[in-house]
Amino acid sequence: MEVLRRGDSGPVVAEIRSKLGRLDLLADPHSDLFDDAVDRAVRAFQQRRGLRVDGVVGIETYRALDEAHWRLGDRLVSFLAGHPYVGDDVALLQQRLLDLGFDPGRCDGIFGRQTDIAVREFQRNVGLTADGTVGPMTLRALDMLRRTVTGGSPSDRREEERLRQGGGALAGRIVLIDPGHGGDDLGVCGHGLAEAEIAFDLATRIEGRLGPLGVQALVSRGPDSCPDEVERATFANETGADLLISLHSDSAPSEHPAGVATYYYGAELPTRTVSSAVGERLAALVQGEIVARTDLVNCRTHPKSWQLLRMTRMPAIRIDIGYLSNETDASRLHAAEFRDTVAEAVVAAVQRLYLPDEQDLVTGQFRIPALAG
């Protein structure tokens, strides 16, 4: 679709205004002009949903607006392989199933196979035909039952339990390293550097350090390919990876923004804010290690609902390492020694993620020989 921003008009803008009105973000939805009020509403929606806050309606924001307008009961939903139902109605269904002790997987608004299993199990438990279709009778049964699981998010507890399996050992884990962009898509460029090339170089350095530790390190693309985010997420899920680490750099119209930021899955869905607990912890460890070992500005960690973070079934993070529009950051990324330091920081964070609390070390103190030992 075309990218829409302040000053545009037409039937698609009218549709966007209608959706924003239904979400109580726009007082007057009856127009086809992308005015200041729409810009503010779009930014508020992007902030709420964990998207890039720029006031621009591209494919990601438009998709999220479309998903947000569905309410549970608006349509029949079920599992369709390859073409899943996606929307806030599915997210609310997953939340209710989790509250009742059934496991639909991550609460991401995607009606996948695990959600289908949870729906059928719920239907069997309440004496309904276990056909996996969420229609009036299933909705009525959900409304009649109250929450039975307490003490935090059940999905977080399951994610943390998988993390503890195998003790603190890295050997045998599968880590997918995802260098952003690739092929003809160079990503952002500046000061003689291309994002795609930096990401691929860092991916090979991280891969080379994880291998000797017994980790099966996979890279999501070659130097000449550029799978989209759905393809990358599908590949990660099919490999059964324990973690996904996506590598990027950033850019800005001004030369002043600088630093490193790390992102994990998180979004504000119908009745609560959801996130990946292990993803958030890994993001904090990676951010801390990189900041402790380099002079990059600390731009902190942030929840986002980008497709790659949302669609992967394992904890996933994205690291934006430096601004190529900033001369200082770019000069750092030019140096092989600096890239080695970043790679070691990422590997140290992965090891610390799996270590029991009593064996953890101070941020910035892990070294690769010590890890191998």
Side-chain angles (χ1 to χ4, degrees), residues 109-192:
I110 303 172
F111 201 122
R113 191 174 298 279
Q114 188 61 40
T115 300
D116 177 62
I117 292 171
V119 168
R120 292 174 187 270
E121 184 180 353
F122 170 76
Q123 289 171 328
R124 280 192 294 270
N125 273 265
V126 296
L128 298 175
T129 301
D131 58 5
T133 298
V134 181
M137 294 182 67
T138 301
L139 291 172
R140 189 177 304 116
L142 284 167
D143 286 338
M144 292 174 62
L145 297 174
R146 296 187 177 186
R147 178 174 181 172
T148 58
V149 175
T150 59
S153 165
S155 59
D156 285 353
R157 301 292 82 74
R158 294 185 181 99
E159 199 174 64
E160 291 164 356
E161 180 58 33
R162 286 191 291 269
L163 180 69
R164 286 193 292 268
Q165 292 173 358
L170 273 183
R173 309 283 185 180
I174 302 173
V175 176
L176 180 63
I177 310 161
D178 173 54
H181 306 279
D184 294 333
D185 179 6
L186 297 179
V188 299
C189 299
H191 295 93

Side-chain angles (χ1 to χ4, degrees), residues 47-50 88 266-270 272-274:
Q47 180 70 39
R48 175 190 298 179
R49 301 294 288 217
D88 280 16
E268 186 177 318
L269 291 177
R272 71 184 70 166
T273 298
V274 298

Side-chain angles (χ1 to χ4, degrees), residues 87-327:
D88 280 16
D89 54 342
V90 177
L92 184 54
L93 168 67
Q94 292 170 325
Q95 290 172 9
R96 291 192 180 180
L97 289 168
L98 281 169
D99 288 345
L100 294 170
F102 299 92
D103 180 16
R106 179 185 291 171
C107 185
D108 54 14
I110 303 172
F111 201 122
R113 191 174 298 279
Q114 188 61 40
T115 300
D116 177 62
I117 292 171
V119 168
R120 292 174 187 270
E121 184 180 353
F122 170 76
Q123 289 171 328
R124 280 192 294 270
N125 273 265
V126 296
L128 298 175
T129 301
D131 58 5
T133 298
V134 181
M137 294 182 67
T138 301
L139 291 172
R140 189 177 304 116
L142 284 167
D143 286 338
M144 292 174 62
L145 297 174
R146 296 187 177 186
R147 178 174 181 172
T148 58
V149 175
T150 59
S153 165
S155 59
D156 285 353
R157 301 292 82 74
R158 294 185 181 99
E159 199 174 64
E160 291 164 356
E161 180 58 33
R162 286 191 291 269
L163 180 69
R164 286 193 292 268
Q165 292 173 358
L170 273 183
R173 309 283 185 180
I174 302 173
V175 176
L176 180 63
I177 310 161
D178 173 54
H181 306 279
D184 294 333
D185 179 6
L186 297 179
V188 299
C189 299
H191 295 93
L193 294 173
E195 180 183 6
E197 296 171 358
I198 294 170
F200 191 78
D201 179 80
L202 284 170
T204 58
R205 293 172 192 268
I206 295 169
E207 178 190 23
R209 286 161 172 76
L210 285 173
L213 302 178
V215 176
Q216 184 179 354
L218 307 174
V219 180
S220 65
R221 68 165 176 88
D224 301 320
S225 64
C226 183
D228 62 29
E229 289 207 334
V230 175
E231 291 169 331
R232 294 171 195 253
T234 299
F235 177 63
N237 292 334
E238 289 175 347
T239 63
D242 296 292
L243 299 174
L244 180 141
I245 299 171
S246 187
L247 303 169
H248 289 259
S249 293
D250 211 336
S251 182
S254 166
E255 63 180 14
H256 299 297
V260 57
T262 309
Y263 304 92
Y264 57 94
Y265 173 69
E268 186 177 318
L269 291 177
T271 60
R272 71 184 70 166
T273 298
V274 298
S275 65
S276 165
V278 175
E280 182 176 3
R281 182 178 169 195
L282 177 60
L285 289 170
V286 166
Q287 184 73 12
E289 289 289 341
I290 292 176
V291 169
R293 296 163 188 257
T294 72
D295 59 355
L296 289 176
V297 175
N298 184 2
C299 298
R300 302 183 298 279
T301 65
H302 308 274
K304 293 291 180 183
S305 62
W306 294 327
Q307 287 289 83
L308 184 63
L309 302 179
R310 176 187 182 186
M311 296 182 68
T312 45
R313 291 196 292 267
M314 72 292 302
I317 64 169
R318 167 174 161 162
I319 317 169
D320 279 15
I321 305 161
Y323 279 73
L324 300 192
S325 51
N326 179 275
E327 185 177 359

Side-chain angles (χ1 to χ4, degrees), residues 21-72:
R22 188 173 183 188
L23 296 170
D24 296 324
L25 291 171
L26 190 64
D28 178 17
H30 305 296
S31 173
D32 68 349
L33 177 62
F34 200 129
D35 55 17
D36 289 345
V38 174
D39 179 81
R40 289 192 296 271
V42 167
R43 291 175 185 271
F45 176 77
Q46 290 170 327
Q47 180 70 39
R48 175 190 298 179
R49 301 294 288 217
L51 303 171
R52 188 176 296 278
V53 182
D54 56 9
V56 175
V57 180
I59 188 168
E60 193 82 20
T61 297
Y62 183 83
R63 182 191 297 118
L65 279 168
D66 185 63
E67 293 173 9
H69 89 278
W70 291 108
R71 297 293 179 264
L72 192 57

